[in-house]
Every structure is written in C-alpha cells, then in structure tokens.
Amino acid sequence: MKSSEIDDWVDRKFVRPFAYVWALFFAKLNISPNAVTILSMFVGAIGALFFISGCFYYCGINGLIANIIGILLLIYADVLDCTDGQLARMTSKTSRLGRILDGLAGAVWYIPLYIVLIIRIYHFHDIEFGWFGIENTHTNIVILTILVTILANISGFICCEGQQRVADYYIQVHLFFLKGEKGSELENSVRLQKQYDDTPWNGNRLWKLFLKSYIQYTKLQEKRTPEFQKLKAFLSEKYGTVDKFPKEIRQQIHDTSLRLMPLNGLMTFNFRTAFLILFCIADLPLEYLLFESIVMTLMCNYIVYRHESFCRNIYKELNTLSYSD
C-alpha cells in the first residue's frame, strides 16, 4: 500500500487484500505491472458492455444477471487497477509510463460505459416517461436521446474526469507531505514539459504522445489548485526540497489534508460505482448521470474549496512570519 491514510474502508478491507493476492500471482508469472493495467482496461470495458441491458424491471431475470455480471467485472477491473501499483512496488518496477497508463485506465472503462448508458436509456425509459406523462413517440425518444447524449458527455468528460483528476491530485499532495518526493507521484507540468522537449521523436513517438497527454492532465490539476501551487512554490523557494521543509509545517499541512481524505475518497471508484450499481439495478441510469453531474460536482467543489482555503491560510501565515523575520 502507498498509505492506509489515502484508502477508504472498502479498499483497506477488501480491494487491497484481493489485489495483493493477484500481485503475488502476477509476480510469480513475471507479468509486468503495465500489462496488468492494460488487462484492467479490457476487463472494465467488457464489464461496461453488460450494462446495455435493462435490469429486472425491463428485462426480468436475464437483465438482472447481465447487470450483475457487469458489476462483478467492474469490481474485478478495480482490483486489477490496484494490483498494478502493488505489483510495481513489490517488484520495484514503478515507472512514469505506469502512472500514465493507470490514469488512462478509468477513462477506458468509463467511455464505453457512458455510450452503453445512452443506448440503454434510448431503449428503456418508460419509468421516466411515466413520471412526467410523456408520450412514448419516436420524436420524444429522439429528443430524449439527444438530451441524454449531451448529459452523458457533461457527466463523463467534464464531471467524472474532472472529479477523479482532483481526487488523484489530492492523494499525491497528501503523500508528498507524508512521505516526501520518493513516496509520492506528485508531478510538475514544467518539469514534464522539459522532459517532453528533450525527448527526440525518433523511436519515441508513442512515449511522447503519452507524455503530452500527461502534461495536459497535470496542467489541469495545477490550474484547479492555484492556492496550493502558490504555497508549494513558496516553500520550495525558501527551503528547497520537501525533505527540507520544517517538520511543523509538513505536519500542519499533513494533518489538515488528512481530515479531507475521507471526503476525497468519495470521488474515487468505490463511492461512484456504488451509486452506479444502485441506479442501474433500479433501472434508473438516467438518474445516475444527473447524480454524477450535480451531487458529485457539488461535493468536488466543496473539497477543492476546503483544500484551497487551508493552503491560502497557511501561505498567509508563513508569508507574514517571513516578512516579520
């Protein structure tokens, strides 16, 4: 484990132990962590396809079975997604490519999932039409599908991706102050850009494409956290590396960040997927898209507000002390 402080109860009690067993298995077969990551992408994408069927209300027992298979495959994909990191640490095969692939894994699962949900809502929407007294005509179905497609794009590409990007960043920030640079994967877009510029295209085309996407990913994380960037820049300029930051400052930031970790965990796979499962089993996938777009976005904004606020306060406090000195 990277740290028990960043994992929720489900991860600590169930996902991590299962992932450890799989990590031991893959280590004996000398299978690389990156290969496991790619396997998790395939399993997750295949699992998403099973949600195309309506559940019990629309398709009876066969629909329920299809959705349960999809649930089990998504859970297994999540276990594999944890396995790759544990395997990398176990075999000392951590790499930036592995970090990039790990970030892509969720997108590979969720893009087909959103497409499947659009198709599912196109075919199965009697509950919602019944609520609002909408006639089940071809025109109304087409209008619904257009609106759901827009909503799914907002839910997936803006909300889900943005929320998971923020959650991942705050995990790395927490590890940065807990374990230092070697115990964290906190990246810097300027440093990544320099590596990109220094890497020749010849023989490195695929790697540069991966790196380019990762630079953009990191820039978006930094753009969302301006107060943290200001605090980190101040500390780095004054003290150098994180290992040279005063202990009391590191402890203060760590302790404040730790209080936000349970909330931050709600933006990761377990909480989000639990609601996906509930809504799909209840044959209400449209409501899941609304939940993700509204409730999860409000929660994400609150977490960013809390994190940015304490970074701003610590920066002001340190700046005042520095000015006094």
Side-chain angles (χ1 to χ4, degrees):
M1 293 173 64
K2 293 177 184 178
S3 169
S4 60
E5 293 184 355
I6 63 173
D7 284 331
D8 60 26
W9 183 84
V10 174
D11 274 332
R12 290 195 302 271
K13 297 296 182 182
F14 297 99
V15 178
R16 292 292 181 185
F18 279 115
Y20 179 67
V21 173
W22 280 103
L24 290 173
F25 173 74
F26 288 126
K28 287 182 179 179
L29 296 179
N30 200 29
I31 294 174
S32 73
N34 291 344
V36 176
T37 305
I38 293 169
L39 176 62
S40 78
M41 294 180 188
F42 279 104
V43 173
I46 293 169
L49 298 179
F50 283 88
F51 288 97
I52 200 166
S53 169
C55 199
F56 190 79
Y57 179 84
Y58 289 110
C59 300
I61 192 66
N62 290 335
L64 178 61
I65 291 171
N67 278 258
I68 289 173
I69 292 172
I71 291 165
L72 294 176
L73 287 173
L74 280 185
I75 291 171
Y76 181 50
D78 182 45
V79 170
L80 289 174
D81 191 45
C82 290
T83 299
D84 58 8
Q86 290 179 252
L87 179 62
R89 290 186 289 276
M90 181 188 297
T91 57
S92 300
K93 291 181 179 178
T94 56
S95 67
R96 181 165 281 158
L97 177 59
R99 168 86 173 133
I100 296 171
L101 285 173
D102 195 50
L104 287 173
V108 173
W109 306 347
Y110 274 95
I111 288 174
L113 177 63
Y114 289 112
I115 295 171
V116 160
L117 291 182
I118 293 169
I119 297 170
R120 175 171 173 166
I121 294 166
Y122 172 81
H123 287 290
F124 307 109
H125 47 260
D126 291 355
I127 294 175
E128 288 82 4
F129 275 18
W131 285 346
F132 297 100
I134 299 172
E135 193 176 350
N136 196 21
T137 64
H138 177 72
T139 301
N140 287 340
I141 293 171
V142 170
I143 292 171
L144 172 68
T145 305
I146 292 170
L147 293 175
V148 167
T149 301
I150 295 169
L151 177 61
N153 277 275
I154 293 170
S155 178
F157 290 108
I158 297 176
C159 300
C160 178
E161 187 177 334
Q163 293 155 13
Q164 292 191 321
R165 187 167 57 235
V166 166
D168 177 59
Y169 195 64
Y170 283 152
I171 286 171
Q172 300 311 323
V173 168
H174 187 79
L175 291 173
F176 180 75
F177 287 99
L178 176 65
K179 295 188 172 186
E181 289 192 17
K182 291 183 179 179
S184 167
E185 295 170 337
L186 187 66
E187 293 287 8
N188 177 286
S189 61
V190 175
R191 188 168 59 228
L192 288 171
Q193 186 64 53
K194 185 177 186 310
Q195 182 182 356
Y196 177 85
D197 294 337
D198 292 343
T199 303
W201 276 100
N202 189 25
N204 297 293
R205 291 185 181 278
L206 185 59
W207 166 240
K208 282 185 72 92
L209 288 173
F210 275 123
L211 196 55
K212 187 70 174 177
S213 69
Y214 195 40
I215 292 168
Q216 183 60 26
Y217 179 84
T218 305
K219 281 182 177 179
L220 289 171
Q221 290 177 319
E222 292 170 346
K223 185 178 179 181
R224 192 77 197 273
T225 55
E227 296 298 334
F228 170 72
Q229 303 308 321
K230 192 188 299 184
L231 174 61
K232 184 173 178 290
F234 176 84
L235 292 171
S236 298
E237 184 178 345
K238 187 167 184 178
Y239 301 108
T241 64
V242 64
D243 298 322
K244 295 178 182 177
F245 293 178
K247 268 186 182 179
E248 60 273 16
I249 294 176
R250 282 183 65 174
Q251 192 65 46
Q252 181 185 6
I253 296 172
H254 165 266
D255 291 349
T256 313
S257 173
L258 182 60
R259 290 194 288 272
L260 287 177
M261 279 298 104
L263 275 176
N264 192 68
L266 298 182
M267 291 193 293
T268 55
F269 180 87
N270 294 335
F271 184 78
R272 184 186 307 277
T273 306
F275 276 91
L276 170 68
I277 290 169
L278 287 173
F279 281 115
C280 284
I281 290 293
D283 270 314
L284 299 171
L286 173 56
E287 284 68 17
Y288 170 74
L289 298 178
L290 292 170
F291 170 81
E292 188 168 61
S293 300
I294 300 170
V295 177
M296 295 290 288
T297 296
L298 289 173
M299 184 170 64
C300 180
N301 289 341
Y302 175 71
I303 293 167
V304 172
Y305 168 77
R306 287 277 305 275
H307 203 281
E308 287 287 279
S309 294
F310 90 69
C311 287
R312 185 187 306 112
N313 293 337
I314 293 173
Y315 174 77
K316 285 181 180 177
E317 182 183 331
L318 293 174
N319 220 5
T320 302
L321 290 173
S322 179
Y323 182 77
S324 300
D325 293 342

Tab-separated table of all heavy atoms in Angstrom, residues 278-305:
chain	number	residue	atom	x	y	z
A	278	LEU	N	-26.422	0.960	-7.828
A	278	LEU	CA	-27.763	1.163	-7.278
A	278	LEU	C	-28.734	1.679	-8.341
A	278	LEU	O	-29.857	1.177	-8.479
A	278	LEU	CB	-27.702	2.159	-6.109
A	278	LEU	CG	-27.087	1.642	-4.808
A	278	LEU	CD1	-26.939	2.771	-3.805
A	278	LEU	CD2	-27.944	0.525	-4.216
A	279	PHE	N	-28.294	2.671	-9.105
A	279	PHE	CA	-29.177	3.247	-10.120
A	279	PHE	C	-29.445	2.270	-11.259
A	279	PHE	O	-30.567	2.212	-11.779
A	279	PHE	CB	-28.585	4.547	-10.664
A	279	PHE	CG	-28.783	5.740	-9.758
A	279	PHE	CD1	-27.706	6.380	-9.165
A	279	PHE	CD2	-30.064	6.211	-9.498
A	279	PHE	CE1	-27.890	7.472	-8.332
A	279	PHE	CE2	-30.265	7.307	-8.661
A	279	PHE	CZ	-29.171	7.939	-8.076
A	280	CYS	N	-28.429	1.498	-11.660
A	280	CYS	CA	-28.640	0.541	-12.757
A	280	CYS	C	-29.511	-0.633	-12.321
A	280	CYS	O	-30.365	-1.096	-13.079
A	280	CYS	CB	-27.293	0.047	-13.294
A	280	CYS	SG	-26.455	1.268	-14.327
A	281	ILE	N	-29.309	-1.126	-11.099
A	281	ILE	CA	-30.150	-2.212	-10.592
A	281	ILE	C	-31.603	-1.746	-10.469
A	281	ILE	O	-32.548	-2.503	-10.705
A	281	ILE	CB	-29.629	-2.710	-9.217
A	281	ILE	CG1	-28.288	-3.449	-9.398
A	281	ILE	CG2	-30.644	-3.619	-8.536
A	281	ILE	CD1	-28.369	-4.751	-10.157
A	282	ALA	N	-31.791	-0.458	-10.124
A	282	ALA	CA	-33.144	0.103	-10.002
A	282	ALA	C	-33.707	0.528	-11.355
A	282	ALA	O	-34.813	1.070	-11.422
A	282	ALA	CB	-33.125	1.301	-9.052
A	283	ASP	N	-32.951	0.267	-12.431
A	283	ASP	CA	-33.351	0.656	-13.791
A	283	ASP	C	-33.538	2.159	-13.941
A	283	ASP	O	-34.460	2.632	-14.615
A	283	ASP	CB	-34.631	-0.082	-14.215
A	283	ASP	CG	-34.306	-1.405	-14.902
A	283	ASP	OD1	-33.426	-1.412	-15.779
A	283	ASP	OD2	-34.912	-2.429	-14.546
A	284	LEU	N	-32.634	2.923	-13.315
A	284	LEU	CA	-32.676	4.389	-13.387
A	284	LEU	C	-31.301	4.958	-13.785
A	284	LEU	O	-30.737	5.808	-13.072
A	284	LEU	CB	-33.111	4.973	-12.035
A	284	LEU	CG	-34.492	4.569	-11.515
A	284	LEU	CD1	-34.683	5.042	-10.081
A	284	LEU	CD2	-35.590	5.124	-12.420
A	285	PRO	N	-30.727	4.517	-14.903
A	285	PRO	CA	-29.388	5.003	-15.288
A	285	PRO	C	-29.357	6.498	-15.593
A	285	PRO	O	-28.330	7.151	-15.387
A	285	PRO	CB	-29.065	4.179	-16.534
A	285	PRO	CG	-30.382	3.748	-17.079
A	285	PRO	CD	-31.255	3.546	-15.876
A	286	LEU	N	-30.467	7.054	-16.082
A	286	LEU	CA	-30.521	8.496	-16.330
A	286	LEU	C	-30.289	9.270	-15.042
A	286	LEU	O	-29.578	10.290	-15.021
A	286	LEU	CB	-31.882	8.858	-16.934
A	286	LEU	CG	-32.196	10.363	-17.102
A	286	LEU	CD1	-31.127	11.052	-17.944
A	286	LEU	CD2	-33.568	10.548	-17.721
A	287	GLU	N	-30.859	8.770	-13.953
A	287	GLU	CA	-30.709	9.443	-12.665
A	287	GLU	C	-29.254	9.376	-12.175
A	287	GLU	O	-28.799	10.273	-11.456
A	287	GLU	CB	-31.651	8.826	-11.634
A	287	GLU	CG	-33.100	9.237	-11.789
A	287	GLU	CD	-33.773	8.696	-13.057
A	287	GLU	OE1	-33.235	7.734	-13.667
A	287	GLU	OE2	-34.819	9.219	-13.447
A	288	TYR	N	-28.531	8.328	-12.576
A	288	TYR	CA	-27.110	8.267	-12.209
A	288	TYR	C	-26.336	9.401	-12.875
A	288	TYR	O	-25.481	10.038	-12.233
A	288	TYR	CB	-26.488	6.929	-12.619
A	288	TYR	CG	-24.984	6.953	-12.462
A	288	TYR	CD1	-24.400	6.905	-11.195
A	288	TYR	CD2	-24.142	7.079	-13.567
A	288	TYR	CE1	-23.028	6.967	-11.039
A	288	TYR	CE2	-22.767	7.140	-13.418
A	288	TYR	CZ	-22.215	7.080	-12.156
A	288	TYR	OH	-20.845	7.164	-12.000
A	289	LEU	N	-26.619	9.669	-14.139
A	289	LEU	CA	-25.936	10.754	-14.848
A	289	LEU	C	-26.226	12.097	-14.182
A	289	LEU	O	-25.339	12.954	-14.066
A	289	LEU	CB	-26.368	10.786	-16.313
A	289	LEU	CG	-26.036	9.540	-17.147
A	289	LEU	CD1	-26.574	9.693	-18.565
A	289	LEU	CD2	-24.534	9.288	-17.184
A	290	LEU	N	-27.464	12.283	-13.718
A	290	LEU	CA	-27.819	13.508	-13.011
A	290	LEU	C	-27.112	13.581	-11.658
A	290	LEU	O	-26.623	14.647	-11.250
A	290	LEU	CB	-29.335	13.572	-12.810
A	290	LEU	CG	-30.168	13.767	-14.078
A	290	LEU	CD1	-31.652	13.564	-13.775
A	290	LEU	CD2	-29.931	15.153	-14.672
A	291	PHE	N	-27.050	12.455	-10.954
A	291	PHE	CA	-26.359	12.391	-9.662
A	291	PHE	C	-24.892	12.775	-9.816
A	291	PHE	O	-24.351	13.575	-9.041
A	291	PHE	CB	-26.479	10.967	-9.093
A	291	PHE	CG	-25.605	10.722	-7.898
A	291	PHE	CD1	-25.998	11.128	-6.635
A	291	PHE	CD2	-24.381	10.073	-8.037
A	291	PHE	CE1	-25.188	10.899	-5.525
A	291	PHE	CE2	-23.564	9.845	-6.933
A	291	PHE	CZ	-23.978	10.258	-5.676
A	292	GLU	N	-24.256	12.229	-10.831
A	292	GLU	CA	-22.834	12.499	-11.045
A	292	GLU	C	-22.599	13.949	-11.445
A	292	GLU	O	-21.626	14.573	-11.014
A	292	GLU	CB	-22.284	11.570	-12.128
A	292	GLU	CG	-20.785	11.623	-12.290
A	292	GLU	CD	-20.278	10.491	-13.147
A	292	GLU	OE1	-20.675	10.419	-14.327
A	292	GLU	OE2	-19.490	9.676	-12.651
A	293	SER	N	-23.501	14.488	-12.262
A	293	SER	CA	-23.335	15.857	-12.762
A	293	SER	C	-23.619	16.899	-11.686
A	293	SER	O	-22.987	17.965	-11.684
A	293	SER	CB	-24.264	16.102	-13.955
A	293	SER	OG	-23.982	15.212	-15.002
A	294	ILE	N	-24.551	16.595	-10.776
A	294	ILE	CA	-24.968	17.600	-9.794
A	294	ILE	C	-24.358	17.334	-8.415
A	294	ILE	O	-23.578	18.140	-7.902
A	294	ILE	CB	-26.510	17.653	-9.697
A	294	ILE	CG1	-27.117	18.030	-11.060
A	294	ILE	CG2	-26.941	18.658	-8.622
A	294	ILE	CD1	-28.612	17.889	-11.139
A	295	VAL	N	-24.696	16.191	-7.829
A	295	VAL	CA	-24.276	15.902	-6.446
A	295	VAL	C	-22.757	15.752	-6.353
A	295	VAL	O	-22.110	16.369	-5.489
A	295	VAL	CB	-24.973	14.622	-5.920
A	295	VAL	CG1	-24.487	14.288	-4.513
A	295	VAL	CG2	-26.483	14.802	-5.932
A	296	MET	N	-22.176	14.958	-7.244
A	296	MET	CA	-20.731	14.737	-7.197
A	296	MET	C	-19.946	16.018	-7.511
A	296	MET	O	-18.881	16.263	-6.942
A	296	MET	CB	-20.343	13.634	-8.170
A	296	MET	CG	-20.893	12.261	-7.829
A	296	MET	SD	-20.133	11.533	-6.351
A	296	MET	CE	-18.503	11.121	-6.958
A	297	THR	N	-20.496	16.841	-8.403
A	297	THR	CA	-19.826	18.106	-8.727
A	297	THR	C	-19.840	19.050	-7.538
A	297	THR	O	-18.825	19.699	-7.232
A	297	THR	CB	-20.502	18.775	-9.939
A	297	THR	OG1	-20.334	17.944	-11.091
A	297	THR	CG2	-19.888	20.141	-10.226
A	298	LEU	N	-20.974	19.135	-6.843
A	298	LEU	CA	-21.058	19.974	-5.648
A	298	LEU	C	-20.068	19.502	-4.579
A	298	LEU	O	-19.398	20.315	-3.928
A	298	LEU	CB	-22.481	19.957	-5.087
A	298	LEU	CG	-23.538	20.711	-5.921
A	298	LEU	CD1	-24.927	20.457	-5.342
A	298	LEU	CD2	-23.241	22.198	-5.953
A	299	MET	N	-19.968	18.195	-4.402
A	299	MET	CA	-19.050	17.642	-3.413
A	299	MET	C	-17.596	17.944	-3.798
A	299	MET	O	-16.778	18.320	-2.951
A	299	MET	CB	-19.260	16.132	-3.295
A	299	MET	CG	-18.406	15.488	-2.219
A	299	MET	SD	-18.887	13.780	-1.926
A	299	MET	CE	-18.504	13.054	-3.523
A	300	CYS	N	-17.278	17.791	-5.076
A	300	CYS	CA	-15.924	18.071	-5.556
A	300	CYS	C	-15.566	19.534	-5.325
A	300	CYS	O	-14.467	19.852	-4.844
A	300	CYS	CB	-15.815	17.712	-7.037
A	300	CYS	SG	-14.179	18.027	-7.752
A	301	ASN	N	-16.491	20.425	-5.651
A	301	ASN	CA	-16.239	21.854	-5.463
A	301	ASN	C	-16.017	22.186	-3.992
A	301	ASN	O	-15.180	23.041	-3.654
A	301	ASN	CB	-17.411	22.672	-6.010
A	301	ASN	CG	-17.486	22.647	-7.521
A	301	ASN	OD1	-16.504	22.332	-8.198
A	301	ASN	ND2	-18.639	22.959	-8.066
A	302	TYR	N	-16.758	21.505	-3.116
A	302	TYR	CA	-16.594	21.733	-1.678
A	302	TYR	C	-15.210	21.286	-1.208
A	302	TYR	O	-14.546	21.984	-0.432
A	302	TYR	CB	-17.680	20.985	-0.913
A	302	TYR	CG	-17.517	21.052	0.587
A	302	TYR	CD1	-17.747	22.240	1.274
A	302	TYR	CD2	-17.119	19.934	1.314
A	302	TYR	CE1	-17.589	22.314	2.652
A	302	TYR	CE2	-16.964	19.995	2.689
A	302	TYR	CZ	-17.197	21.186	3.351
A	302	TYR	OH	-17.031	21.253	4.714
A	303	ILE	N	-14.757	20.133	-1.688
A	303	ILE	CA	-13.435	19.618	-1.307
A	303	ILE	C	-12.335	20.556	-1.791
A	303	ILE	O	-11.389	20.874	-1.050
A	303	ILE	CB	-13.233	18.193	-1.867
A	303	ILE	CG1	-14.184	17.219	-1.194
A	303	ILE	CG2	-11.783	17.728	-1.678
A	303	ILE	CD1	-14.286	15.874	-1.873
A	304	VAL	N	-12.452	21.029	-3.035
A	304	VAL	CA	-11.458	21.968	-3.565
A	304	VAL	C	-11.464	23.253	-2.737
A	304	VAL	O	-10.396	23.788	-2.394
A	304	VAL	CB	-11.743	22.286	-5.053
A	304	VAL	CG1	-10.832	23.413	-5.548
A	304	VAL	CG2	-11.541	21.048	-5.911
A	305	TYR	N	-12.657	23.736	-2.404
A	305	TYR	CA	-12.767	24.950	-1.582
A	305	TYR	C	-12.063	24.772	-0.235
A	305	TYR	O	-11.296	25.639	0.199
A	305	TYR	CB	-14.238	25.286	-1.372
A	305	TYR	CG	-14.475	26.336	-0.308
A	305	TYR	CD1	-14.242	27.687	-0.567
A	305	TYR	CD2	-14.915	25.958	0.964
A	305	TYR	CE1	-14.435	28.639	0.423
A	305	TYR	CE2	-15.117	26.915	1.956
A	305	TYR	CZ	-14.876	28.253	1.679
A	305	TYR	OH	-15.064	29.190	2.663
